[in-house]
Protein backbone atom coordinates (compact mmCIF):
# COMPACT_ATOMS: atom_id res chain seq x y z
CA UNK A 1 0.00 0.00 0.00
CA UNK A 2 2.83 2.41 0.82
CA UNK A 3 4.45 1.68 -2.52
CA UNK A 4 1.20 2.49 -4.33
CA UNK A 5 0.92 5.80 -2.45
CA UNK A 6 4.49 6.59 -3.45
CA UNK A 7 3.59 5.80 -7.08
CA UNK A 8 0.61 8.14 -6.74
CA UNK A 9 2.96 10.87 -5.53
CA UNK A 10 5.35 10.44 -8.46
CA UNK A 11 2.57 10.19 -11.04
CA UNK A 12 0.97 13.37 -9.77
CA UNK A 13 4.28 15.23 -9.50
CA UNK A 14 5.15 14.09 -13.03
CA UNK A 15 1.89 15.42 -14.42
CA UNK A 16 2.33 18.64 -12.45
CA UNK A 17 5.70 19.04 -14.16
CA UNK A 18 4.13 18.37 -17.57
CA UNK A 19 1.40 20.93 -16.85
CA UNK A 20 4.05 23.58 -16.05
CA UNK A 21 3.09 23.91 -12.40
CA UNK A 22 5.51 26.31 -10.65
CA UNK A 23 8.54 24.43 -9.42
CA UNK A 24 7.92 25.16 -5.73
CA UNK A 25 4.40 23.68 -6.02
CA UNK A 26 5.28 20.39 -7.76
CA UNK A 27 6.11 18.49 -4.56
CA UNK A 28 3.00 19.82 -2.83
CA UNK A 29 0.93 18.86 -5.85
CA UNK A 30 2.44 15.37 -5.67
CA UNK A 31 1.49 15.23 -2.02
CA UNK A 32 -2.09 16.08 -2.94
CA UNK A 33 -2.17 13.15 -5.36
CA UNK A 34 -0.58 10.80 -2.84
CA UNK A 35 -3.16 11.71 -0.20
CA UNK A 36 -5.94 11.24 -2.74
CA UNK A 37 -4.61 7.84 -3.76
CA UNK A 38 -4.28 6.83 -0.10
CA UNK A 39 -7.93 7.80 0.36
CA UNK A 40 -8.84 5.69 -2.67
CA UNK A 41 -7.00 2.65 -1.32
CA UNK A 42 -8.49 3.09 2.15
CA UNK A 43 -12.01 3.43 0.75
CA UNK A 44 -11.51 0.30 -1.37
CA UNK A 45 -10.53 -1.65 1.76
CA UNK A 46 -13.57 -0.44 3.71
CA UNK A 47 -16.14 -0.65 0.93
CA UNK A 48 -14.93 -2.20 -2.36
CA UNK A 49 -16.66 0.09 -4.84
CA UNK A 50 -14.56 1.87 -7.43
CA UNK A 51 -17.14 4.63 -7.79
CA UNK A 52 -17.34 5.28 -4.04
CA UNK A 53 -13.55 5.13 -3.69
CA UNK A 54 -13.16 7.63 -6.53
CA UNK A 55 -15.62 9.97 -4.80
CA UNK A 56 -13.75 9.74 -1.48
CA UNK A 57 -10.39 10.25 -3.19
CA UNK A 58 -11.65 13.29 -5.09
CA UNK A 59 -12.92 14.72 -1.80
CA UNK A 60 -9.44 14.33 -0.32
CA UNK A 61 -7.79 15.84 -3.38
CA UNK A 62 -10.19 18.78 -3.37
CA UNK A 63 -9.63 19.43 0.32
CA UNK A 64 -5.86 19.21 -0.09
CA UNK A 65 -6.06 21.51 -3.11
CA UNK A 66 -7.94 24.13 -1.11
CA UNK A 67 -5.56 23.90 1.84
CA UNK A 68 -2.42 24.01 -0.30
CA UNK A 69 -3.81 26.89 -2.39
CA UNK A 70 -4.26 28.98 0.74
CA UNK A 71 -0.81 28.09 2.09
CA UNK A 72 1.10 28.57 -1.18
CA UNK A 73 -1.01 31.45 -2.58
CA UNK A 74 -1.61 29.63 -5.88
CA UNK A 75 -4.89 28.71 -7.59
CA UNK A 76 -6.53 25.51 -6.42
CA UNK A 77 -6.38 23.99 -9.88
CA UNK A 78 -2.58 23.75 -9.67
CA UNK A 79 -2.99 21.10 -6.99
CA UNK A 80 -6.29 19.52 -8.01
CA UNK A 81 -5.83 18.82 -11.73
CA UNK A 82 -2.58 16.81 -11.41
CA UNK A 83 -3.95 15.09 -8.29
CA UNK A 84 -7.01 13.81 -10.15
CA UNK A 85 -4.99 12.26 -12.99
CA UNK A 86 -4.38 8.88 -11.23
CA UNK A 87 -8.15 8.53 -10.73
CA UNK A 88 -9.16 9.10 -14.36
CA UNK A 89 -10.80 5.91 -15.66
CA UNK A 90 -8.62 5.46 -18.73
CA UNK A 91 -8.43 1.68 -18.52
CA UNK A 92 -12.21 1.41 -18.20
CA UNK A 93 -12.66 3.71 -21.20
CA UNK A 94 -10.28 1.58 -23.24
CA UNK A 95 -12.02 -1.65 -22.23
CA UNK A 96 -15.41 -0.12 -23.07
CA UNK A 97 -14.31 0.83 -26.59
CA UNK A 98 -12.65 -2.56 -27.05
CA UNK A 99 -15.86 -4.35 -26.06
CA UNK A 100 -17.82 -2.19 -28.52
CA UNK A 101 -15.39 -3.04 -31.32
CA UNK A 102 -15.56 -6.74 -30.47
CA UNK A 103 -19.36 -6.61 -30.53
CA UNK A 104 -19.77 -7.57 -26.88
CA UNK A 105 -22.62 -5.18 -26.15
CA UNK A 106 -23.43 -6.32 -22.60
CA UNK A 107 -19.83 -5.98 -21.46
CA UNK A 108 -19.54 -2.62 -23.25
CA UNK A 109 -22.67 -1.38 -21.49
CA UNK A 110 -21.47 -2.54 -18.07
CA UNK A 111 -18.00 -1.05 -18.53
CA UNK A 112 -19.46 2.15 -19.96
CA UNK A 113 -21.67 2.58 -16.90
CA UNK A 114 -18.67 1.96 -14.66
CA UNK A 115 -16.62 4.56 -16.56
CA UNK A 116 -19.40 7.14 -16.38
CA UNK A 117 -19.91 6.40 -12.68
CA UNK A 118 -16.24 6.97 -11.90
CA UNK A 119 -16.15 10.21 -13.90
CA UNK A 120 -19.29 11.48 -12.19
CA UNK A 121 -17.95 10.52 -8.77
CA UNK A 122 -14.76 12.48 -9.41
CA UNK A 123 -16.71 15.51 -10.59
CA UNK A 124 -19.17 15.30 -7.69
CA UNK A 125 -16.42 15.04 -5.10
CA UNK A 126 -14.62 18.09 -6.46
CA UNK A 127 -17.83 20.09 -6.80
CA UNK A 128 -18.76 19.28 -3.21
CA UNK A 129 -15.43 20.56 -1.87
CA UNK A 130 -15.36 23.65 -4.07
CA UNK A 131 -18.95 24.55 -3.17
CA UNK A 132 -18.30 24.06 0.53
CA UNK A 133 -15.13 26.16 0.46
CA UNK A 134 -16.92 29.00 -1.35
CA UNK A 135 -19.77 28.93 1.16
CA UNK A 136 -17.21 28.94 3.98
CA UNK A 137 -15.42 31.98 2.51
CA UNK A 138 -18.65 33.97 2.57
Amino acid sequence: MILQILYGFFATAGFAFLFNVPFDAIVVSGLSGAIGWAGYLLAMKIYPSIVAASFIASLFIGIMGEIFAQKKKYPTTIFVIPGIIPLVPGAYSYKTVLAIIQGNNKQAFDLGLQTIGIALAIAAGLMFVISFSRIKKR
Side-chain angles (χ1 to χ4, degrees), residues 28-131:
V28 179
S29 182
L31 186 60
S32 173
I35 291 170
W37 193 249
Y40 177 86
L41 294 174
L42 182 65
M44 283 297 287
K45 289 219 183 263
I46 294 170
Y47 181 72
S49 167
I50 295 170
V51 175
S54 296
F55 178 75
I56 298 297
S58 66
L59 284 176
F60 284 170
I61 291 168
I63 291 167
M64 291 296 103
E66 291 290 334
I67 291 170
F68 294 149
Q70 289 175 359
K71 299 261 188 219
K72 288 285 202 177
K73 305 291 186 216
Y74 284 124
T76 306
T77 55
I78 285 180
F79 307 107
V80 170
I81 300 295
I84 287 296
I85 294 294
L87 298 177
V88 172
Y92 282 97
S93 300
Y94 172 78
K95 290 176 184 176
T96 301
V97 172
L98 182 63
I100 291 170
I101 291 171
Q102 292 175 341
N104 192 345
N105 293 335
K106 175 154 178 20
Q107 184 183 17
F109 182 75
D110 292 342
L111 288 169
L113 282 179
Q114 190 80 13
T115 304
I116 292 168
I118 294 168
L120 289 175
I122 292 169
L126 290 177
M127 284 190 322
F128 183 77
V129 171
I130 290 168
S131 298

